Amino acid sequence: MTQTETLYSTMDELLADQEFAGRPAYDLIREIQDLYLEDKKPWVIGYSGGKDSSVILSLVYVALTKLKKEQRHKHVYVVSSDTLVETPIVIDLVTSTIDQINKHAAENELPITAHQVVPLMEKTFWVNLIGKGYPAPTQNFRWCTERMKIDPVSAFIKDKVERFGEVIVVLGARSQESASRAQVIAKHKIEGSSLSRHTSLVGAFTYMPIEDWNFDEVWMYLLGAPCPWGGTHHELFALYKDSNAGECPLVIDTKTPSCGNSRFGCWTCTVVTKDRAIEGLIESGETWMKRLKALRNWLYRSTLPHNKGYYRNIKRRHGKVDFARNQNLSDSYAEREHTYGPYQMKWRQHWLAWILRLQEELNQDKHRITLITESELHNIREEWLTDPNEPDWDDTLPEIYKQITGKAFEKRPSDRNFPRKEARKILESLEEEFEAPAELVMKLIDLQHSMDQSGNRRGYLDKIDTLLNKDWGTIEQILANREATRLDTDLKRELQEKDVENKAYETIEADSDDDQKKSRQLNSLYDAELTLLTKEYEELLTEEREFLANLEGQH
């Protein structure tokens, strides 16, 4: 049997001759037809491109072709999730299958349409990692699954629930795949029905017609006869054989097991130590994927504990330096475990250049591939311009893009055109003289500019206060400031605990000369600091207004 031949020449011959999970194949086709005719709930087939979801898609497709035209009374939606970082060969196969289904179904008047859903632009892998600086996903911080897989498919299903009241989601889940999956299937089964309740989506039911099939039965069905929409599944089989991997299931809730150590999924996945699927494809001849693997491995190395300080900012995105709390550690910040923040801007710029260069090279080598979309680039640029810790006043993304591609980056009308690059250099030159971090002043100017653009100054002082209360400076300076604050707080607490009669702090009456001396010193200290901060704040606002006026005059 060659790669284009099948054991049976037609699907009818296979169905008439084979049993699956101990029942004749035609019995399952009739079960699917009966469930379809039972009510008006539309169906949603979850299609990941793997072997199990391919069987489900084929079974439902065959069942509908064997119904009379007037019986095909409700629509069947096929939904596939494209995270935008899927393994290129897999997503090409999925896209090709979706095109074939839509074409063949329309020609044969079948109520089936196939759709690919993608994450919202602000939730894609590159916008989060390169734009916002999120660290690459790990077992302990797997931020990708919900944003990139669950949310797009759930939104698609919710839309159909809102339109039709209830839907049936058809999935290729099998109990033999894993013990955890078998438990989930059994837990939500409706007694006396072939349906289960969806674990999280109200109004959605799940139907899993091959839950009792074994591995061999899946491949017997797929390789035994031609696809009902044309062609065969030999290309899918070759992909499995070459990659030594199982597919990443279409994930529709947080209880569905995500990709394991061996899977088709995102080529950027850093949850696993080694991507066996890509390595298998490379060994089978797809050597061009070594370049994808190199970038993925670099991202993986950035997640290792000893590398965090090298790649990531000392502050979190909320602008504060955080420390892991542990009862066995000292109260001193210096002796707690430092929790690092997002990737430093220089690394995000480096990785963007790498991706763009790789995309250019692969397309020049006749690999039609998109590693990062134009929409993602616009979102990344906006994230860089407004970064909470390292605002990119040089606006480097258009420059990186032009340097790599040779083309000008088409800025959107809504993109910021504030003259920042020259201003940054001036602020950095004045940083030491005025003991004011350039990044803080840049954020204050950004705030002023945004307020002027919107015309709404509500909450202006509160936003300034928020910026001033973030951590600025080196880690040593931040720790020193925190330690000084802690000592002042301890002194205040000591005096308050001894004040058993008066509630107001300013009327403390100490029981000893030492306490009275401490009280007077503390009041003097706070009065002096308050006066100094007020003066510095007023000077900062004056300098900001003058600086903005000069910039506007220059441009």
Side-chain angles (χ1 to χ4, degrees), residues 55 77 124 148 160 260 304 354 399 440 449-450 455 458 472 481 505 515 527 529 541:
V55 170
Y77 300 92
T124 70
M148 295 159 48
K160 303 303 174 283
L304 300 177
W354 190 342
E399 296 176 9
L440 168 59
H449 183 66
S450 66
R458 181 178 299 174
W472 302 100
N481 291 336
Y505 169 66
D515 288 342
D527 289 343
E529 289 183 352
L541 286 181

Side-chain angles (χ1 to χ4, degrees), residues 47-50 53-54 57 78-82 86-101 114-116 235-236 239:
Y47 176 60
S48 69
S53 62
S54 294
L57 181 56
V78 180
V79 58
S80 177
S81 177
D82 179 5
E86 299 290 325
T87 302
I89 295 176
V90 175
I91 199 63
D92 287 347
L93 179 60
V94 171
T95 302
S96 173
T97 302
I98 284 176
D99 291 341
Q100 287 178 306
I101 288 170
H115 311 262
Q116 277 184 310
E235 185 179 355
L236 176 63
L239 192 58

Side-chain angles (χ1 to χ4, degrees), residues 62 117 120 136 155 222 278 328 337 342 417 452 460 464 506 509:
V62 169
V117 295
L120 297 174
L222 291 175
I278 285 185
N328 297 324
E337 183 180 354
N417 295 308
D452 291 342
Y460 185 44
I464 291 177
E506 62 272 14
E509 294 182 3

Side-chain angles (χ1 to χ4, degrees), residues 128-363:
N128 278 282
L129 187 138
I130 292 179
K132 299 177 182 178
Y134 276 28
T138 63
Q139 287 286 356
N140 296 327
F141 186 42
R142 192 182 298 197
W143 52 262
C144 50
T145 303
E146 187 164 354
R147 288 175 173 84
M148 295 159 48
K149 285 183 175 288
I150 296 176
D151 289 349
V153 175
S154 294
F156 186 91
I157 297 172
K158 287 177 182 177
D159 175 71
K160 303 303 174 283
V161 171
E162 291 175 1
R163 288 176 56 186
F164 302 103
E166 292 179 328
V167 299
I168 294 175
V169 182
V170 190
L171 297 173
R174 292 188 299 114
S175 297
Q176 283 196 5
E177 282 287 288
S178 69
S180 59
R181 183 173 296 186
Q183 291 175 354
V184 172
I185 292 173
K187 181 178 179 182
H188 296 91
K189 196 78 173 177
I190 299 174
E191 188 175 354
S193 172
S194 55
L195 299 180
S196 302
R197 298 189 185 279
H198 194 282
T199 58
S200 59
L201 297 178
V202 178
F205 300 87
T206 55
Y207 174 45
M208 292 167 276
I210 65 167
E211 61 179 287
D212 297 323
W213 286 30
N214 62 38
F215 177 86
D216 291 336
E217 289 172 329
V218 168
W219 282 116
M220 166 56 77
Y221 179 88
L222 291 175
L223 301 179
C227 299
W229 50 82
T232 69
H233 289 293
H234 284 93
E235 185 179 355
L236 176 63
F237 179 73
L239 192 58
Y240 271 83
K241 184 178 65 175
D242 291 343
S243 67
N244 296 314
E247 81 274 19
C248 187
L250 186 122
V251 183
I252 60 171
D253 56 47
T254 55
K255 294 182 176 58
T256 302
S258 188
C259 306
N261 291 332
S262 169
R263 87 271 174 261
F264 288 139
C266 305
W267 68 267
T268 56
C269 184
T270 52
V271 175
V272 294
T273 304
K274 290 185 178 181
D275 191 324
R276 292 170 55 189
I278 285 185
E279 290 184 351
L281 291 169
I282 292 171
E283 291 173 3
S284 67
E286 302 290 346
T287 56
W288 62 273
M289 296 186 74
K290 287 182 179 179
R291 287 175 277 185
L292 298 182
K293 176 186 172 183
L295 176 53
R296 177 262 169 206
N297 287 348
W298 193 316
L299 293 177
Y300 172 77
R301 287 193 294 271
S302 75
T303 68
L304 300 177
H306 61 274
N307 287 333
K308 290 181 180 179
Y310 184 67
Y311 290 100
R312 290 164 61 178
N313 199 292
I314 61 172
K315 296 187 292 185
R316 305 290 293 275
R317 278 182 59 84
H318 54 62
K320 290 281 190 178
V321 173
D322 281 352
F323 296 85
R325 298 189 177 278
N326 189 320
Q327 293 180 351
N328 297 324
L329 296 178
S330 167
D331 286 337
S332 171
Y333 287 110
E335 297 181 24
R336 295 184 192 169
E337 183 180 354
H338 180 206
T339 304
Y340 289 96
Y343 286 126
Q344 298 171 34
M345 182 61 71
K346 66 179 182 180
W347 286 112
R348 292 187 256 169
Q349 294 164 342
H350 174 75
W351 288 326
L352 176 64
W354 190 342
I355 294 166
L356 289 173
R357 188 178 296 109
L358 182 55
Q359 183 171 264
E360 288 288 305
E361 292 173 353
L362 290 174
N363 279 281

